[in-house]
Amino acid sequence: AQSVTQPDIHITVSEGASLELRCNYSYGATPYLFWYVQSPGQGLQLLLKYFSGDTLVQGIKGFEAEFKRSQSSFNLRKPSVHWSDAAEYFCAVGLTGNQFYFGTGTSLTVIP
Amino acid sequence: NAGVTQTPKFQVLKTGQSMTLQCAQDMNHNSMYWYRQDPGMGLRLIYYSASEGTTDKGEVPNGYNVSRLNKREFSLRLESAAPSQTSVYFCASSDLGRHNEQFFGPGTRLTVL
């Protein structure tokens, strides 16, 4: 079945440590790929997106993500996490037409 | 630009009551969407509208109806609310020219007692 998988439900990291959030998808063609962040009680904000070209994309707030076609992955990374990065992170896939699918999210806790 | 706006922000209903959630966007997007967000389930698509005058079912349409009033507005109606519809509802809009990048409203937190 077609899906977007975020295998880590919850991650805890120390402030200043590096971060990697995993995302895998299972669609035939290379989809359009997105990462969104949701702070508590807020809507979703786009962090970054991949459509084509350079497989390493830069986003807002110091985040980056790398598309790996061979692994069907689009993992989100940040070299040094800040306390304000504590939030829920969603990977999403856009297909042709109006098809758009979200992963179930990864909750990030940042400890001082 | 306000982006995507939603009203109300919070609502409490009793089982069987009806209500309409309102959504408007000022980005001239063709497509609009309604999602519900439940713990551990991510966002699930309820209905979407690819363009003014058209609507289609998403993953979880049962118990809901929608109206694309014009290009700006897309409303979601619960005719007879049930406790299973307790959720956070998000409206979003997109422009296919931007590869479906979705822009979200702040959400409506609905509790059905």
Side-chain angles (χ1 to χ4, degrees), chain B residues 50-68:
Chain B
S51 61
E52 185 179 352
T54 69
T55 61
D56 286 286
K57 294 178 180 179
E59 182 183 355
V60 288
N62 291 347
Y64 305 94
N65 286 300
V66 290
S67 296
R68 184 73 182 267

Side-chain angles (χ1 to χ4, degrees), chain B residues 28-49:
Chain B
N28 202 36
H29 286 167
N30 287 311
S31 301
M32 297 185 73
Y33 309 79
W34 276 105
Y35 293 90
R36 60 178 289 171
Q37 183 180 30
D38 302 291
M41 304 191 75
L43 281 83
R44 293 181 292 169
L45 183 65
I46 305 171
Y47 270 94
Y48 69 96
S49 170

Side-chain angles (χ1 to χ4, degrees), chain A residues 36 38 46 49 51 97-98, chain B residues 31 33 37 99-102:
Chain A
Y36 287 84
Q38 184 183 30
L46 181 70
K49 57 195 174 189
F51 296 157
N98 288 88
Chain B
S31 301
Y33 309 79
Q37 183 180 30
H99 304 288
N100 261 349
E101 177 183 341
Q102 307 229 331

